[in-house]
Amino acid sequence: MFDLGWSELLVIGIVALIVVGPKDLPVLFRNVGRFMGKARGMAREFSRAMNDAADESGMRDVAKTFKSATNPLESAMDGVRDAARSMTDPTPPKKGEGLKEDPGALDPERAAQKKKIEAGAARAAAERQKREAEAAAKRAEESARKAEEMEAALKKDGEA
């Protein structure tokens, strides 16, 4: 950040000793140290927040994709290293990791939710079919009534 060598620091120290005085110099250095600590803490917090934001937006995944696109051999070697590391890892798998007894089986809670969704969809389909059947019956009755009216009108015309 600042390019200060030992000679520059020595000049700054001598000027500070002359301006501030030997009695208040330790207090000044203590305050400068606190200020630098706060500045470093703020910089650390800012960089952590930026890294978290990058993680949330998926920038690391994009960077990994670009890395694998630019250097496919290295990304293939990374995959081999990860596979070798996972095979030689002496720690047993944690509970819940690995394959289930039936990989296609749902958790009981999800299976119950699936049944509720299927029942609701079946009920909605049955109601829709019932409405369509009622509407078709009304149309058939109207058509039959119109046909009877037309036949009655034809009989009157034929009699007259």
Side-chain angles (χ1 to χ4, degrees), residues 2 21 27 55 57 86-87 111 137 139 155-156:
F2 294 113
V27 175
D55 286 344
S57 67
S86 67
M87 293 186 79
R139 284 193 305 268
K155 284 183 182 179
K156 284 184 183 178

Side-chain angles (χ1 to χ4, degrees), residues 39 68 75 78 87 103 112 114 116 140 143 147 156 159:
S68 65
S75 74
D78 287 344
M87 293 186 79
K114 179 183 175 187
K116 286 180 183 178
S143 297
K156 284 184 183 178
E159 292 176 5

Side-chain angles (χ1 to χ4, degrees), residues 52-125:
D52 290 345
D55 286 344
E56 288 177 8
S57 67
M59 286 300 290
R60 290 195 192 248
D61 294 336
V62 172
K64 190 174 182 180
T65 303
F66 281 137
K67 177 186 173 191
S68 65
T70 56
N71 194 355
L73 183 61
E74 183 65 28
S75 74
M77 289 304 294
D78 287 344
V80 170
R81 282 188 208 111
D82 290 342
R85 191 175 304 123
S86 67
M87 293 186 79
T88 58
D89 189 14
T91 59
K94 295 178 184 171
K95 188 175 183 178
E97 285 185 6
L99 291 177
K100 297 180 181 178
E101 293 173 7
D102 181 11
L106 294 175
D107 293 334
E109 183 180 325
R110 297 220 32 199
Q113 289 175 350
K114 179 183 175 187
K115 287 180 182 178
K116 286 180 183 178
I117 291 170
E118 288 174 348
R123 185 179 326 108

Side-chain angles (χ1 to χ4, degrees), residues 17-75:
L17 181 63
I18 293 171
V19 173
V20 176
K23 190 175 184 181
D24 296 327
L25 197 59
V27 175
L28 174 71
F29 284 149
R30 188 177 311 119
N31 289 336
V32 168
R34 287 181 188 160
F35 173 75
M36 292 300 293
K38 286 181 182 179
R40 286 182 184 153
M42 288 172 51
R44 217 178 3 256
E45 184 178 336
F46 177 76
S47 65
R48 187 177 305 128
M50 294 305 285
N51 286 338
D52 290 345
D55 286 344
E56 288 177 8
S57 67
M59 286 300 290
R60 290 195 192 248
D61 294 336
V62 172
K64 190 174 182 180
T65 303
F66 281 137
K67 177 186 173 191
S68 65
T70 56
N71 194 355
L73 183 61
E74 183 65 28
S75 74

